[in-house]
Amino acid sequence: MQIARTVAEFRALRASQPGPLGLVPTMGYLHEGHQSLIRAARAANATVALSLFVNPTQFGPNEDFTRYPRDEARDLAICEAEGVDLLLMPSVEEMYPAGASTTVSVGPLSTVLEGAARPGHFDGVATVVTKLFTITEPDRAYFGQKDAQQLMVIRRLTEDLRLPVEIVGCPIIREPDGLAMSSRNVYLAPEERTQALALSRGLRAAVAAWDDGVRDASSLRSRVREEIEAQPLARIDYVSLADQGTLSELEGPVMLPALLSLAVRFGATRLIDNVVLEPSS
Ligand code: AMP
């Protein structure tokens, strides 16, 4: 594995690698969710690149940028073991040189749900992903369905800017007890960790209701809320059942496909999870 800390270093290394190139963008503190993206990239590309960059512009002023978990040595070992060829680990100054003032803003998809709760978040994501694409020039880029809205925003920007990269979405990887894997799970105190199981349990309850024929949007949202509201440490940011194409909130009988998503706080820790209600289910 070769490591680049600057754009110039990455470009020089990339030039000597065979194509196609698959890129896995991450903020590090890698877990099995990230590993599943690396494996998907490894299976389909001659060269796999992973970027490890905690992007300041996607964090709000009161968010966890400075305390975001970091463990470079462990991340390097995981990348080695998973067969990553090129690791891009740029500094903030390298990604945002003095005077940088360009922002990529994707529009309506960016302002609902996560975008409403975290103003500016998706501008930061869209800007850094566009930069990563122009730096690494991937043939394919891999993103998790765990961040369902982020995946939609990135698909939109790739199409709108006519970027020559195929966006590959990968399923959510969960702990054996159902909690969606996240670098932020490490923040949870033991009692919060136990109560956080209500997120996936709530989603499963809604899917079970869906399978039983329940189609009313607010009934489906209520199934999720009931599970989470029973947890004294949980504070719901939102529980949403939205059109999978536009993310507009659904009311009445659900027309498919629909994204059931949520954000819940436990103290200062904010967790997200989702499931897609499929036409066939
Ligand atoms: P992050 O390092 O949190 O920015 O995540 C980097 C990539 O890994 C994003 O595309 C995420 O959606 C994806 N990812 C994070 N957690 C999971 C998970 N539990 N399952 C699948 N993909 C994930």
Side-chain angles (χ1 to χ4, degrees):
M1 182 170 72
Q2 295 178 291
I3 300 177
R5 291 186 185 268
T6 66
V7 173
E9 279 170 20
F10 186 90
R11 287 188 169 137
L13 292 172
R14 196 227 188 282
S16 61
Q17 297 288 322
L21 182 128
L23 173 69
V24 180
T26 81
M27 298 205 299
Y29 213 71
L30 303 178
H31 52 66
E32 284 175 45
H34 301 110
Q35 284 169 262
S36 74
L37 305 188
I38 300 172
R39 287 172 198 169
R42 188 68 283 166
N45 301 278
T47 300
V48 174
L50 183 138
S51 60
L52 199 167
F53 179 63
V54 185
N55 173 38
T57 65
Q58 70 189 70
F59 290 79
N62 299 316
E63 293 185 359
D64 56 346
F65 173 66
T66 49
R67 69 180 190 111
Y68 194 82
R70 293 165 168 87
D71 189 340
E72 194 175 304
R74 192 171 155 275
D75 287 347
L76 288 180
I78 290 173
C79 288
E80 280 280 14
E82 294 291 346
V84 170
D85 302 297
L86 300 177
L87 181 59
L88 174 63
M89 301 177 68
S91 64
V92 172
E93 295 70 30
E94 186 69 11
M95 290 299 283
Y96 298 100
S101 64
T102 302
T103 298
V104 178
S105 194
V106 171
L109 278 181
S110 303
T111 54
V112 293
L113 302 177
E114 285 301 285
R118 307 179 66 188
H121 170 67
F122 285 118
D123 285 1
V125 169
T127 302
V128 81
V129 167
T130 304
K131 286 175 184 247
L132 289 170
F133 285 176
T134 57
I135 293 164
T136 62
E137 298 185 45
D139 297 283
R140 302 188 183 90
Y142 294 79
F143 295 90
Q145 176 67 20
K146 162 83 180 356
D147 299 276
Q149 188 177 3
Q150 168 174 280
L151 180 54
M152 292 172 69
V153 165
I154 289 165
R155 286 193 195 283
R156 180 82 263 154
L157 97 85
T158 304
E159 211 168 301
D160 290 354
L161 299 181
R162 315 294 292 165
L163 301 178
V165 50
E166 178 190 343
I167 305 301
V168 183
C170 299
I172 300 176
I173 304 298
R174 298 178 179 281
E175 301 284 357
D177 60 11
L179 183 68
M181 290 198 179
S182 165
S183 305
R184 290 188 167 100
N185 290 349
V186 71
Y187 297 147
L188 295 169
E191 186 55 23
E192 294 173 331
R193 172 70 178 73
T194 303
Q195 294 188 22
L197 294 179
L199 277 60
S200 53
R201 209 162 53 231
L203 293 174
R204 283 201 306 275
V207 170
W210 176 262
D211 290 342
D212 286 346
V214 176
R215 289 293 178 271
D216 179 62
S218 61
S219 305
L220 290 161
R221 283 189 290 264
S222 295
R223 294 292 202 289
V224 183
R225 284 190 163 271
E226 282 159 17
E227 285 289 343
I228 299 169
E229 283 167 355
Q231 311 306 315
L233 299 175
R235 298 283 171 274
I236 294 177
D237 250 15
Y238 63 80
V239 173
S240 159
L241 183 57
D243 182 296
Q244 167 77 337
T246 62
L247 289 185
S248 50
E249 204 59 29
L250 296 169
E251 300 300 339
V254 172
M255 307 298 292
L256 297 177
L259 178 69
L260 182 58
S261 67
L262 55 82
V264 176
R265 290 176 194 278
F266 289 89
T269 307
R270 189 168 177 283
L271 303 180
I272 59 172
D273 201 350
N274 71 82
V275 66
V276 176
L277 298 179
E278 300 282 0
S280 54
S281 59

